[in-house]
Amino acid sequence: MDKFYHSVRLEEELCKGCINCIKRCPTEAIRVRNGKARINSKFCIDCGECIRVCSHHAKKATYDKLDVMRNWKYTVALPAPALYSQYNNLDDVNIVLNALILMGFDDVFEVSAAAELVSEATREYLTLHEDQYPIISTACPTVVRLIRVRFPNLISHLLPLKPPIEVAATIAARRAMEQTGLPREDIGICFISPCPSKVTYAKAPLGTEKSQVDCVLAIKDVYPQLLSHMKAVGEDMLELSTSGKIGVSWGRSGGEAGGLFTENYLAADGIENVIRVLEDLEDQKFTNLKFVELNACNGGCVGGVLNVENPYVAEVKLKRLRKYMPVARSHMENQEHAEEIVPWTERVSYEPVFNLGENMMESFARLNQVERLCRKFPGLDCGSCGAPTCKALAEDIVRGEASENDCVYYLRENLHRLSEEISILADDLHAGGSGGHETLNILKEYIQRISSEMSLLDNKEDEEDG
Amino acid sequence: MEGIVLNYTISPDDFTRAGEASSDVKRKLKQLGVSPEAVRKVAIAMYEGEINMVIHANGGEITVEITPERILMILADSGPGIPDVEKAMQAGYSTAPDEVRSLGFGAGMGLPNMKSYTDDLKIETKLGVGTTITMEVRLE
Ligand SMILES: Nc1ncnc2c1ncn2[C@@H]1O[C@H](COP(=O)(O)OP(=O)(O)OP(=O)(O)O)[C@@H](O)[C@H]1O
Ligand code: SF4
Ligand SMILES: [Mg+2]
């Protein structure tokens, strides 16, 4: 699978070519070219910010439709803890789990149950790897992708354990094969996701060669279906839940760290905050930290862009729900092969996608050129050129992906200069200066250049109308 | 090959902006493909120097020269100067006032870190005139 696969896509017909998304993208991965937004797949980390901010709904996450369930003989639903936080007055997780069965799944396995195993494994990892402090959570795939392209010095701090989604999928698949005797390909493991980031994870995971998740559904698609089935769940419902407070808390920021029984942790949420923390971690501005939990979404996974409920309301609901739960119900010792299921099987390595050139020589020359270009541009960061900042345009230019004339101010100045030169030449002609014929030719050339630059401007306007 | 020269003005007493210059240098070094280890050294050493200029010296000017062989950081201020450089270099020595300590600075680890994360550190200082610190990180 493409190591830069991503699930956030552009719906071309809906895109108006405005600059909302280019301004909000935390890795400056989007440009407007020919009137449409383009996502650079090497820079994109699938955080979903552009989906949140696009008022034309032109940014979409790719995920599977509900009828994908028919592709397998036996299906297991893997609900993310964020799913529970979508419902009002839910006092028993079993209602949601039983409704999933009524909806057509053959079995359910809670991601929060796997999360409790990961919490245990993390606690053990922390005691054995003091030299690697602070250890950075790897549960949010967007954060891992961000570190992979931008924070090479922090890769060695990544917690080398699979995220709960993967651990859940592995256990669920084994259990299904044992219970049904079916081969693996007849079993569909369906994750119910709060975010596009986990869609990407399922297709192109980091830390594992291949994910055991076979399809990913969006919480917002499952939510309404489930609502009607929940009403049909009666007193006689099955006890399907196998997780407690620790597992369910993973759905919100601070939940993962809370399961580690240490106070020396930091938990940050929201992609901009995450970046600030990573910058500071890289500069070693924190001391005495054991663990760093980072979630790309505001509030944690309850803030994922495929949820229905407002993240902060969802967080309150999650807190209420967990109140009467036991601390934890899933344990490594009860899980067969836990030691081999949980750790990473592949290392993550640095992808220097932001390098300006192919080699250091070229990068030096290009950075110098960027500095010179930046001095030429007005520094307004207006976005009219399709790049988020003047500096980003300069970087695009040196990479050969844009031109100086994409800057409307630069173009305007160019036109001014040309017309001034014309008037000097005309004065010269008028005064009967020498080489009249030659001056006339130069004059013609200037006029042609002006009109071709004017037509560039017209193109720009077309793009904006179109 | 043409080297790269970057200039920064550090404003005094503005903690919210301290670190901007070192972040910018860090970003550019990554764009150049400088080794992560060297980026880390420069970022840590320069941030310490930058914050010292804010806390102890009413700001100043930083010049960073980058060539494929080395990164040179020159931090010049017109602050009070350092009366006893040897003492200042000791781990744990600090004259940071209480209000700065409450922000988490003042452990007296800045200069020792600047020394240990760079390949060369030179301090020129004159009381009442100012301090110029030159640091070098060599590249492969
Ligand atoms: N640019 C400077 N101008 C004047 N005095 C300085 C300057 N830099 C450092 N000093 C003096 O040297 C002392 C030690 O500096 P150092 O950076 O090691 O520690 P600190 O800044 O006090 O605390 P920390 O860096 O751990 O937050 C400072 O307390 C200050 O008295
Ligand atoms: S914080 Fe959670 S919901 Fe948001 S991108 Fe990361 S894993 Fe997905
Ligand atoms: Mg200091």
Side-chain angles (χ1 to χ4, degrees):
Chain A
M1 184 47 78
D2 175 10
K3 62 182 171 182
F4 295 110
Y5 174 92
H6 61 98
S7 58
V8 174
R9 306 281 171 83
L10 179 81
E11 194 94 355
E12 183 126 4
E13 312 80 73
L14 295 176
C15 178
K16 297 253 193 274
C18 72
I19 60 166
N20 288 328
C21 60
I22 62 175
K23 283 284 185 186
R24 274 282 286 278
C25 175
T27 56
E28 298 191 335
I30 315 177
R31 299 291 182 274
V32 176
R33 296 266 153 81
N34 299 322
K36 300 287 177 192
R38 301 263 172 270
I39 304 172
N40 178 331
S41 61
K42 287 198 172 138
F43 296 0
C44 175
I45 52 171
D46 286 306
C47 65
E49 284 298 300
C50 56
I51 298 181
R52 277 190 191 95
V53 75
C54 180
S55 45
H56 310 293
H57 306 289
K59 294 290 193 324
K60 293 250 152 68
T62 52
Y63 47 80
D64 296 298
K65 297 210 179 63
L66 293 181
D67 59 13
V68 74
M69 286 162 68
R70 292 196 213 116
N71 292 358
W72 297 276
K73 290 202 177 113
Y74 188 89
T75 51
V76 186
L78 264 46
L83 177 67
Y84 311 147
S85 68
Q86 306 298 300
Y87 297 98
N88 288 325
N89 307 317
L90 180 70
D91 52 17
D92 188 347
V93 169
N94 283 304
I95 299 171
V96 173
L97 303 179
N98 278 267
L100 283 166
I101 303 285
L102 293 179
M103 205 180 129
F105 290 101
D106 297 295
D107 195 7
V108 290
F109 190 91
E110 293 179 277
V111 173
S112 49
E116 291 182 348
L117 303 180
V118 178
S119 289
E120 257 186 51
T122 308
R123 290 201 292 270
E124 189 184 320
Y125 192 86
L126 284 176
T127 58
L128 297 174
H129 295 86
E130 256 178 66
D131 52 317
Q132 244 175 281
Y133 286 175
I135 289 166
I136 304 172
S137 154
T138 48
C140 174
T142 286
V143 170
V144 182
R145 284 181 172 249
L146 175 65
I147 291 173
R148 174 177 77 146
V149 295
R150 223 170 117 173
F151 297 96
N153 285 308
L154 298 177
I155 289 178
S156 61
H157 292 271
L158 289 174
L159 178 70
L161 301 182
K162 290 177 190 160
I165 167 184
E166 191 59 36
V167 174
T170 311
I171 298 173
R174 285 188 185 193
R175 191 165 83 178
M177 287 196 292
E178 274 164 27
Q179 283 177 359
T180 62
L182 289 170
R184 179 66 182 86
E185 59 269 24
D186 285 341
I187 293 161
I189 304 296
C190 306
F191 177 63
I192 303 171
S193 180
C195 63
S197 178
K198 284 182 170 138
V199 179
T200 303
Y201 176 86
K203 296 260 200 258
L206 296 179
T208 310
E209 298 82 52
K210 189 182 177 303
S211 173
Q212 294 296 317
V213 176
D214 298 308
C215 67
V216 182
L217 306 175
I219 286 184
K220 65 175 181 180
D221 285 358
V222 173
Y223 172 87
Q225 295 268 332
L226 216 49
L227 207 53
S228 53
H229 290 301
M230 279 165 71
K231 293 198 187 97
V233 174
E235 292 287 305
D236 58 338
M237 64 181 167
L238 302 167
E239 172 73 35
L240 295 170
S241 175
T242 53
S243 67
K245 271 197 182 86
I246 288 186
V248 169
S249 299
W250 276 65
R252 61 174 180 83
S253 176
E256 178 186 1
L260 301 178
F261 310 148
T262 170
E263 280 172 3
N264 296 331
Y265 74 85
L266 174 162
D269 53 299
I271 191 70
E272 293 297 338
N273 297 325
V274 165
I275 292 173
R276 282 196 348 236
V277 168
L278 290 172
E279 290 282 356
D280 286 355
L281 278 176
E282 196 173 45
D283 299 351
Q284 296 188 351
K285 286 184 200 164
F286 303 107
T287 43
N288 299 327
L289 266 187
K290 281 190 182 173
F291 189 76
V292 178
E293 176 188 328
L294 300 171
N295 290 288
C297 298
N298 286 327
C301 294
V302 289
V305 75
L306 300 180
N307 287 317
V308 182
E309 184 57 283
N310 164 322
Y312 297 96
V313 176
E315 193 187 333
V316 173
K317 290 185 192 168
L318 204 60
K319 261 194 218 151
R320 239 179 242 157
L321 174 66
R322 21 161 259 162
K323 198 166 164 194
Y324 299 106
M325 287 184 174
V327 177
R329 296 199 346 207
S330 289
H331 300 284
M332 293 283 273
E333 57 180 23
N334 304 333
Q335 179 59 53
E336 270 177 68
H337 315 294
E339 286 74 21
E340 73 184 75
I341 291 175
V342 181
W344 270 3
T345 49
E346 219 178 45
R347 300 228 60 95
V348 169
S349 49
Y350 180 38
E351 298 290 348
V353 298
F354 295 108
N355 280 12
L356 281 176
E358 291 291 323
N359 52 52
M360 204 180 250
M361 294 282 261
E362 189 176 51
S363 297
F364 265 78
R366 287 184 173 180
L367 185 58
N368 265 321
Q369 214 183 329
V370 166
E371 296 285 300
R372 276 197 297 273
L373 284 167
C374 284
R375 283 192 288 272
K376 269 205 237 173
F377 293 143
L380 293 171
D381 296 343
C382 72
S384 312
C385 60
T389 61
C390 299
K391 189 186 265 170
L393 177 66
E395 290 167 4
D396 289 350
I397 293 171
V398 304
R399 289 190 173 109
E401 292 156 7
S403 90
E404 294 176 10
N405 277 332
D406 285 330
C407 171
V408 282
Y409 296 90
Y410 182 86
L411 189 59
R412 198 172 65 183
E413 229 155 72
N414 237 1
L415 287 172
H416 273 303
R417 215 189 47 242
L418 285 172
S419 53
E420 264 164 33
E421 282 171 21
I422 284 187
S423 76
I424 293 170
L425 282 171
D427 285 349
D428 194 36
L429 262 184
H430 185 71
S434 59
H437 189 67
E438 200 182 312
T439 316
L440 203 62
N441 276 341
I442 297 176
L443 201 60
K444 260 198 201 150
E445 212 177 281
Y446 268 106
I447 292 173
Q448 264 162 10
R449 267 169 65 190
I450 288 198
S451 61
S452 70
E453 301 224 333
M454 291 288 279
S455 66
L456 268 181
L457 262 184
D458 292 346
N459 282 345
K460 274 196 199 306
E461 270 158 26
D462 284 354
E463 278 170 22
E464 271 147 36
D465 296 344
Chain B
M1 185 194 331
E2 211 181 341
I4 289 162
V5 181
L6 306 166
N7 293 300
Y8 303 92
T9 300
I10 309 303
S11 43
D13 292 325
D14 193 347
F15 285 98
T16 55
R17 293 192 53 189
E20 268 180 18
S22 44
S23 291
D24 190 62
V25 171
K26 192 162 78 172
R27 177 169 183 267
K28 287 181 171 140
L29 292 177
K30 286 181 189 171
Q31 287 184 324
L32 288 173
V34 166
S35 78
E37 184 51 26
V39 176
R40 193 172 77 98
K41 289 177 175 175
V42 170
I44 295 170
M46 183 165 160
Y47 174 72
E48 292 286 4
E50 195 179 341
I51 210 93
N52 276 358
M53 290 171 105
V54 174
I55 298 176
H56 308 295
N58 294 312
E61 301 286 330
I62 301 182
T63 305
V64 181
E65 282 176 40
I66 313 164
T67 69
E69 289 80 41
R70 55 130 188 76
I71 298 152
L72 198 68
M73 295 162 268
I74 304 160
L75 295 81
D77 67 60
S78 337
I82 305 174
D84 185 341
V85 173
E86 211 172 301
K87 215 171 175 184
M89 288 300 297
Q90 283 168 12
Y93 176 81
S94 173
T95 61
D98 286 346
E99 66 268 23
V100 174
R101 284 174 196 266
S102 67
L103 292 171
F105 302 106
M109 285 311 294
L111 284 169
N113 275 337
M114 286 156 76
K115 183 159 180 63
S116 62
Y117 283 99
T118 54
D119 297 305
D120 189 39
L121 171 122
K122 248 197 338 264
I123 301 178
E124 293 158 85
T125 183
K126 206 164 175 187
L127 286 185
V129 179
T131 304
T132 297
I133 298 182
T134 309
M135 298 185 280
E136 186 180 311
V137 169
R138 282 190 275 277
L139 304 174
E140 294 309 291

